[in-house]
């Protein structure tokens, strides 16, 4: 089974102290005031994981380093960062610290054009794959944005067709795509030849209603999230259902809807964006045990919910908070990049050193 590939003919951080109170309140306050550091800590509370805010970039608009509806962020092997904007129908390329390099794309159905560029995948050779949702295809580019090929032979449910795909994930076990409109998962080899598929519309094990997010851990476990059904289904690399974890709610370890993107880091920790109604990124082990979280609500345009995390310190109002976060990705150094869609920016966090081995 082969997905059609057409090629161009020409080139281009208040620390949460989890102890039994054996001292007086006054002593505790004095103790805390002596150790509290004006550093950039945005902590994952009640957990073993803590993160520090590193930086942010982006603002509202249509020019370089500006976004209207940023959706995904990913990286190539050289550390360059790629961000998709589903309203501007383009891809922007940055250095790892947010310096703009270039952009490409426009609205349309031609090669190199997009109608809602959704997720971004990067293969081991540094080629960029953009899930072009409303064109029912995946486009392949080099790192400079030169169109190379495309997969998907029109809208449909045949083996060489896609229906509003939304996510793509590369792994040593294959390339996995959420074929969302068909409520199925497609697995390809490195040549984009279809080797397996699974799923159907429904609420049972191995069934989906709007499969929206996908990633794979080092052991070949495939994690699939649905936009409006809280929780995660886990499969083996051949699509065999293994387990499901997660439930609807707002406490730690639960999910609100819409539930957004999934990413797995090198330690096989699973990061899930708990999107618009409870904006945060939650972190779990592969069995669904809650490990930590990053973020809370802040709408920068109105100041609603926004806090200054370190008072007179170097951080600014809203740093480490989100409005309508959508995607999360972890780079090769363990830094966590979050698409803060409602605030038109990318935010970057780093795990605090003492927690790196946990």
């Amino acid at each position: 089974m082969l997905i059609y590939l057409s090629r161009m003919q020409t080139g281009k951080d208040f620390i949460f102290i989890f102890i039994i109170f054996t001292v007086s309140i006054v002593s505790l306050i004095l103790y805390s005031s002596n150790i509290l550091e004006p550093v950039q800590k945005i902590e994952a509370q009640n957990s073993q994981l803590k993160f520090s805010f590193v930086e942010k970039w982006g603002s509202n608009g249509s020019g370089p380093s500006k976004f209207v509806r940023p959706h995904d962020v990913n990286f190539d092997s050289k550390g360059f960062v790629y961000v998709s904007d589903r309203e501007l129908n383009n891809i922007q390329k940055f250095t790892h610290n947010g310096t703009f390099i270039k952009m490409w794309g426009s609205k349309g159905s031609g090669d190199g054009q997009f109608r809602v560029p959704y997720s971004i995948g990067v293969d081991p050779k540094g080629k960029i794959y953009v899930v072009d949702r409303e064109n029912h295809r995946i486009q392949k580019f080099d790192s400079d944005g030169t169109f190379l090929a495309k997969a998907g032979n029109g809208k449909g449910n045949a083996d060489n067709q896609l229906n509003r795909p939304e996510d793509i994930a590369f792994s040593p076990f294959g390339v996995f795509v959420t074929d969302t409109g068909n409520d199925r998962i497609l697995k390809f080899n490195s040549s984009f030849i279809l080797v397996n598929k699974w799923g159907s519309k429904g609420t049972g094990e191995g069934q989906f209603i709007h499969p929206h997010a996908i990633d794979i851990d080092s052991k070949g476990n495939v994690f699939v999230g649905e936009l409006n059904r809280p929780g995660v289904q886990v499969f083996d690399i051949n699509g065999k259902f293994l387990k499901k974890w997660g439930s609807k709610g707002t406490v730690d370890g639960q999910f609100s809807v819409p539930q957004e993107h999934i990413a797995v880091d090198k330690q096989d920790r699973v990061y899930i964006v708990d999107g618009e109604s409870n904006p945060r990124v939650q972190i779990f082990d592969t069995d669904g045990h809650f490990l930590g979280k990053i973020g809370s609500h802040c709408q920068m345009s109105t100041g609603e919910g926004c806090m200054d995390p370190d008072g007179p310190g170097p951080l600014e109002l809203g740093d480490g908070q989100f409005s309508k976060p959508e995607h999360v990705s972890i780079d090769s150094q363990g830094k966590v990049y979050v698409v803060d869609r409602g605030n038109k920016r990318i935010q970057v966090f780093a795990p605090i050193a003492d927690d790196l081995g946990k």
Side-chain angles (χ1 to χ4, degrees), residues 14-308:
F14 233 53
I15 297 173
F16 187 93
I17 304 172
F18 190 64
I19 60 173
I20 298 173
F21 287 92
T22 59
V23 295
S24 68
I25 297 298
V26 174
S27 297
L28 180 59
I29 292 173
L30 290 173
Y31 174 75
S32 298
S33 65
N34 286 332
I35 66 171
L36 191 61
E37 301 172 302
V39 297
Q40 303 177 6
K41 289 186 178 180
I42 309 296
E43 288 202 354
Q45 297 178 354
N46 300 331
S47 75
Q48 64 196 79
L49 294 180
K50 302 178 184 70
F51 294 84
S52 60
F53 172 85
V54 177
E55 60 187 333
K56 61 183 183 286
W57 73 82
S59 59
N60 186 34
S62 58
S65 301
K66 295 183 181 296
F67 308 109
V68 175
R69 190 168 180 174
H71 189 78
D72 195 13
V73 59
N74 212 333
F75 329 92
D76 65 19
S77 60
K78 296 180 180 179
F80 293 113
V81 183
Y82 302 85
V83 180
S84 62
D85 193 307
R86 54 183 290 184
E87 288 294 326
L88 296 176
N89 290 288
N90 67 20
I91 306 297
Q92 294 193 56
K93 180 179 180 179
F94 303 88
T95 64
H96 68 92
N97 59 357
T99 300
F100 173 82
I101 298 175
K102 69 180 304 176
M103 69 172 71
W104 73 84
S106 60
K107 186 174 183 178
S109 299
D111 293 343
Q113 294 185 306
F114 307 107
R115 292 174 61 228
V116 188
Y118 228 66
S119 298
I120 301 171
V122 184
D123 72 15
K125 297 181 179 180
K127 299 300 186 290
I128 313 302
Y129 295 72
V130 180
V131 178
D132 187 8
R133 191 182 73 177
E134 299 304 317
N135 280 322
H136 314 287
R137 65 185 181 181
I138 296 169
Q139 296 196 69
K140 179 181 179 181
F141 301 87
D142 69 15
S143 61
D144 290 321
T146 300
F147 173 82
L148 300 175
K150 59 189 174 185
N153 189 21
K155 180 181 180 180
N157 60 9
D159 286 344
N160 66 343
Q161 293 181 309
L162 298 166
N163 183 355
R164 304 183 83 230
E166 291 191 350
D167 203 6
I168 184 170
F170 283 79
S171 80
F173 308 98
V175 185
F176 297 81
V177 173
T178 59
D179 187 15
T180 305
N182 288 318
D183 294 297
R184 64 183 181 179
I185 305 301
L186 304 178
K187 177 184 176 181
F188 301 89
N189 65 18
S190 59
S191 299
F192 245 84
I193 295 174
L194 183 67
V195 295
N196 198 8
K197 59 183 178 180
W198 71 87
S200 60
K201 189 178 184 66
T203 59
E205 295 178 353
Q207 294 185 305
F208 307 108
I209 298 177
H210 200 119
H212 180 65
I214 192 166
D215 208 355
I216 304 92
D217 71 11
S218 66
K219 299 177 178 62
N221 296 305
V222 181
F223 300 84
V224 180
E226 298 160 79
L227 185 68
N228 294 309
R229 194 156 70 117
V232 176
Q233 293 195 66
V234 187
F235 303 86
D236 69 14
I237 57 171
N238 297 311
K240 178 184 177 181
F241 176 84
L242 300 176
K243 56 192 167 185
K244 184 180 188 298
W245 46 264
S247 61
K248 186 175 182 178
T250 60
V251 302
D252 292 345
Q254 293 184 313
F255 304 102
S256 58
V257 293
Q259 179 182 306
E260 296 287 353
H261 193 237
I262 296 174
V264 182
D265 69 12
K266 290 182 177 181
Q267 287 75 39
D268 285 342
R269 294 178 294 217
V270 183
Y271 296 67
I272 301 177
V273 179
D274 198 8
E276 182 173 342
S277 59
N278 191 16
R280 59 185 179 173
V281 177
Q282 298 192 82
I283 305 100
F284 302 84
D285 66 17
T286 55
D287 291 318
H289 299 119
F290 175 78
L291 299 177
K293 61 185 176 183
I294 307 170
S296 60
H297 172 68
C298 166
Q299 179 59 56
M300 291 297 295
S301 62
T302 63
E304 179 186 354
C306 300
M307 299 178 293
D308 187 331

